[in-house]
């Protein structure tokens, strides 16, 4: 009898030993790359720019490139957990599905408030989107008993850096970055209890991003592989102008490593890859370029990768 009691107690202790680990995993702040390709052209292998930070079953989406709602579903993130949407800047590979994400989340059962954040004219874009789709929205409210969509969405326009919002899960801070001719363009930092994550958006190397990323656990940085640029632009008639534009407002993988090293970040993630699907540019080439200056782990982003 005594032996049984001892064994039972040991089993109970062994089971209890797993509880902190499971609880810790449930509380972990997750980062999922939803779209890792740079540029507006739809591609087979990589979706347009988007990522989601998930904390305690609440989704914070950063950028809304084409297909973001489906990418969330593929990542296993329920659309009705959407709570905040952050837009870094108004290029179509970052905002094409901004309205669609909210609309489709609502169609999938969303009934709670969504706050959206980003540069002007975000409020006007939101208003015009709802006007454009009023017929469907009104029909579904009347015919399917859905809650009104428009009152659920609260838009916050950001034109400068500084504190953005804070709730019981994360604190969000923004910095104005350099992405000419688009102004303002923003980067965002998410500080949670267990980790800090910075999303650069599109930018050239700049001091404001370096300061925002100081000491972060993860920096997701847009990246350009310059030797592959000529092959990318060779497909289009405006090749010379497009090449000049890309170089003027993006960051090379090597310089992304330089920024990460100077900021003292722990892990560098290369995303918004340009070129996005050149078979001659291997994953190791991206890593080697970033490691010219960065001494920590380098991850080459791919769609649906969780970090």
């Amino acid at each position: 009898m005594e032996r049984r009691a001892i064994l039972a107690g040991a089993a109970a202790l062994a089971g209890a030993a797993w509880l902190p680990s499971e609880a810790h995993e449930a509380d972990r702040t997750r980062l999922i790359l939803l779209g890792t390709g740079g540029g507006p052209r739809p591609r087979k292998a990589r979706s347009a720019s988007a990522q989601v930070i998930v904390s305690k079953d609440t989704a914070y989406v950063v950028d809304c490139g084409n297909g973001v709602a489906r990418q969330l579903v593929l990542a296993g993130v329920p659309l009705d957990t959407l709570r905040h949407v952050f837009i870094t800047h108004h290029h179509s590979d970052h905002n094409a599905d901004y309205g669609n994400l909210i609309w489709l989340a609502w169609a999938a059962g969303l009934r709670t408030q969504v706050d959206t954040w980003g540069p002007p004219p975000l409020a006007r874009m939101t208003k015009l989107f709802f006007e454009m789709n009023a017929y469907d929205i009104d029909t579904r409210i009347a015919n399917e008993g859905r809650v009104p969509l428009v009152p659920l969405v609260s838009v916050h326009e950001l034109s400068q850096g500084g504190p953005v919002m804070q709730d019981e899960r994360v604190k969000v801070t923004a910095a104005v970055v350099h992405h000419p001719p688009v102004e303002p363009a923003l980067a965002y930092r998410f500080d949670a209890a267990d980790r800090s994550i910075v999303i650069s958006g599109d930018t050239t190397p700049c001091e404001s991003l370096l300061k925002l990323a100081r000491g972060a656990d993860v920096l997701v940085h847009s990246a350009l592989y310059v030797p592959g640029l000529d092959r990318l632009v060779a497909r289009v008639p405006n090749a010379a102008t497009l090449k000049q534009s890309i170089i003027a407002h993006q960051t090379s993988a090597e310089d992304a490593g330089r920024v990460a090293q100077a900021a003292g970040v722990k892990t560098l993630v290369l995303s918004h890859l340009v070129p996005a699907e050149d078979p001659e540019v291997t994953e190791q080439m991206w890593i080697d370029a970033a490691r010219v200056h960065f001494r920590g782990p380098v991850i080459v982003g791919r769609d649906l990768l969780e970090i």
Side-chain angles (χ1 to χ4, degrees), residues 6 92 101 166 194 209:
I6 291 171
S92 56
L101 172 59
Q166 183 170 355
D194 58 328
L209 177 62

Side-chain angles (χ1 to χ4, degrees), residues 31-37 45-54 59-77 79 101 271 302-306:
L31 167 63
I32 305 172
L33 305 180
L34 301 173
T36 56
R46 294 183 186 273
S47 292
S49 188
Q51 43 268 306
V52 63
I53 293 165
V54 181
Y60 304 76
V61 170
V62 184
D63 281 337
C64 296
N66 178 36
V68 62
R70 186 169 186 270
Q71 291 299 97
L72 281 165
V73 172
L74 290 173
V77 179
L79 292 178
L101 172 59
S271 191
R302 63 180 186 274
D303 289 12
L304 305 181
L305 176 66
E306 180 168 346

Side-chain angles (χ1 to χ4, degrees), residues 64-126:
C64 296
N66 178 36
V68 62
R70 186 169 186 270
Q71 291 299 97
L72 281 165
V73 172
L74 290 173
V77 179
L79 292 178
D80 62 0
T81 65
L82 180 66
R83 180 66 185 83
H84 293 272
V85 178
F86 300 85
I87 301 296
T88 60
H89 66 288
H90 294 305
H91 263 150
S92 56
D93 52 330
H94 295 258
N95 70 6
D97 270 6
Y98 160 70
N100 286 337
L101 172 59
I102 299 167
W103 186 23
L104 296 174
W106 174 76
L110 177 74
R111 300 174 63 89
T112 51
Q113 180 175 329
V114 175
D115 286 88
T116 70
W117 313 79
L122 190 63
R124 184 166 180 267
M125 289 168 57
T126 308

